[in-house]
Amino acid sequence: MNDSQSPLDKVNSWIKNSVGLKLGTITILMLLLLIPASMIKSIISEREMLNQSVLNEVSQKWAGKQQINGPILTIPLIYEYEIEDGKIITKTKYLYLLPEQLAITGKIEPEKLKRGIYEVVVYKSILDFCGQFKLNTKIDQDGLKEIKYGEAFLTVGISDLRGIIDQITLNWGNQKLDVQPGSKLNDMISSGISIDLPDVSNQINTNIDFSFQLNLQGSQNLSFIPLGSTTNVNLSSTWNSPSFNGNFLPDNREVSDEGFSADWKILQLNRNYPQTWVDKNMRNEMQYSALGVDLIMPLDDYQKSMRSSKYAVMTIALIFLVFFLVEILNGRKIHPFQYTLVGLALCLFYILLISISEHSNFNIAYLISAGITSLMILIYAKSVFKSGKFTGVLTATILGIYGFLFVTLQLADYALLMGSTGLALILGVTMYFTRNINWYKLNMKTE
């Protein structure tokens, strides 16, 4: 009889049968399982950083991101100014002229370099530049003493000079000119090549054609500054997953399994700097107008793994809910240690996912990880529930959770909609199955 129970027996019976205490215990277990879930996120971040460090290391040895800025024609101007006491000072200024027409045609050949388990995409490219300069600019005559047409030079910015594969020869009108390493416009172009031009005084008010070919290797990115009054860029490659970036998207693009092609047309009116200027640093304005393409290996697998780990709390809560409802509806007592084992098995899914995806396709890794985790939990739950009906409910729940999570990961743009809809559906189903339970009078049955 209950009346003959000792106080210790009553406390023990309350501990075994109290629904509130069981819910509190489950909640505490869920909170404790957030610790390994957080550690898993740290592991994913660490692996992603390691991948990025390998990419940077290989890029430094091959050649880094490449940005082409130029050509820019520079002509020294000598000015004289009178100051106090009739003294005359001489100051050298520089006139900068940009091409009237600039056309860039490039073919990019990607290569995959392997470092351990990581792959890094680098490239070799053949870039053809051609265009025209027009020497008809108006120059401020106040104090102007001399225009040094014989000291004019061209500058072409190249981000990483290690990427130059072959010698470069500039076709300037009917002449072939050699290039020199280094930029003479350090404030505007920190790295590049320079070409000393012959005297251009006899080419005033004429169009001067130029062209050169640049065989260049690099990694991750190739971009250009559209310096022409009209700039046309046409790129093609066998890389089939490009990411176009910069401040101008291609006017036309085609991407297929065989590769991509894209072309841009940029007008002077589309940028925030003129065709000619004197003694101003337009570095920032030019950088802002860059356009190009990324060939970097996508880190989607790490991003998807990180996003999936953010659903760990929901996954653990739903599986624990099924176990708790089995206790309530079937009278099967489940020990907190058994809840803990199931929670740890659910955490194991994310470790399996990130480790397998580094060696195979993410979708295959997801299928294997979900299959192993589900099988472990279902075999264990069958012996705990001792009921085929409730084991089937758990099976449907697990398959629903992993299926829902997989679809959500694939539809990045609709992740919030999918997540909120899924949670609403889960809450509705839970409310339906628990609608007839009298929680005030509920006492968990003993076996």
Side-chain angles (χ1 to χ4, degrees), residues 178-444:
D178 295 328
V179 305
Q180 301 296 325
S183 168
K184 296 182 180 180
L185 308 177
N186 293 322
D187 291 340
M188 200 149 37
I189 297 177
S190 56
S191 174
I193 57 175
S194 300
I195 306 101
D196 292 327
L197 300 177
D199 192 334
V200 295
S201 58
N202 60 346
Q203 295 174 308
I204 302 299
N205 295 321
T206 63
N207 293 330
I208 308 172
D209 294 328
F210 71 88
S211 65
F212 62 93
Q213 186 177 86
L214 183 58
N215 293 348
L216 192 68
Q217 65 184 29
S219 57
Q220 303 184 45
N221 173 270
L222 177 63
S223 61
F224 305 91
I225 305 295
L227 296 185
S229 180
T230 300
T231 302
N232 292 282
V233 180
N234 185 283
L235 297 178
S236 61
S237 175
T238 55
W239 186 247
N240 58 13
S241 57
S243 175
F244 301 105
N245 55 34
N247 283 281
F248 298 97
L249 292 176
D251 297 313
N252 300 289
R253 73 182 88 175
E254 290 185 9
V255 181
S256 65
D257 293 338
E258 287 73 36
F260 78 87
S261 64
D263 60 78
W264 294 256
K265 182 179 180 180
I266 312 300
L267 303 178
Q268 176 190 354
L269 296 175
N270 301 137
R271 347 158 301 218
N272 194 32
Y273 49 92
Q275 284 300 108
T276 64
W277 67 90
V278 175
D279 255 21
K280 289 182 181 179
N281 190 340
M282 295 289 180
R283 182 188 187 109
N284 293 335
E285 289 82 355
M286 288 193 295
Q287 286 295 323
Y288 186 75
S289 67
L291 58 92
V293 61
D294 276 329
L295 299 180
I296 189 171
M297 281 286 284
L299 300 179
D300 285 349
D301 289 358
Y302 293 107
Q303 293 169 359
K304 288 178 180 178
S305 297
M306 179 62 77
R307 285 170 53 209
S308 68
S309 67
K310 294 177 181 178
Y311 288 87
V313 176
M314 183 194 75
T315 304
I316 293 171
L318 288 176
I319 300 301
F320 279 12
L321 176 63
V322 174
F323 274 71
F324 175 72
L325 290 177
V326 168
E327 285 196 76
I328 297 297
L329 301 175
N330 197 37
R332 299 291 305 179
K333 291 188 180 300
I334 302 175
H335 196 274
F337 181 73
Q338 294 173 309
Y339 278 95
T340 303
L341 289 179
V342 172
L344 291 175
L346 292 170
C347 291
L348 180 63
F349 162 77
Y350 303 102
I351 293 292
L352 289 172
L353 179 61
I354 186 63
S355 59
I356 298 174
S357 66
E358 288 186 328
H359 299 272
S360 68
N361 178 272
F362 179 84
N363 293 346
I364 296 175
Y366 190 95
L367 180 63
I368 294 173
S369 304
I372 292 174
T373 305
S374 302
L375 191 61
M376 289 172 59
I377 295 174
L378 291 174
I379 292 175
Y380 186 69
K382 186 176 181 182
S383 63
V384 173
F385 292 168
K386 300 186 184 306
S387 167
K389 180 178 70 173
F390 288 111
T391 303
V393 171
L394 180 62
T395 302
T397 303
I398 291 177
L399 293 178
I401 290 172
Y402 284 128
F404 163 75
L405 181 56
F406 181 78
V407 173
T408 302
L409 293 176
Q410 303 303 314
L411 302 175
D413 293 338
Y414 298 95
L416 180 60
L417 177 62
M418 289 290 297
S420 58
T421 303
L423 290 174
L425 181 62
I426 291 166
L427 179 60
V429 171
T430 304
M431 293 171 69
Y432 176 79
F433 281 107
T434 59
R435 68 191 187 282
N436 295 323
I437 297 176
N438 189 336
W439 297 96
Y440 284 105
K441 295 184 177 180
L442 184 65
N443 235 6
M444 292 201 304

Side-chain angles (χ1 to χ4, degrees), residues 59-67 157-164 191-192 216-218:
S59 297
Q60 288 175 2
K61 294 179 180 179
W62 176 268
K65 299 178 181 179
Q66 295 288 13
Q67 183 179 88
I158 302 173
S159 306
D160 194 339
L161 296 176
R162 296 173 303 166
I164 299 175
S191 174
L216 192 68
Q217 65 184 29

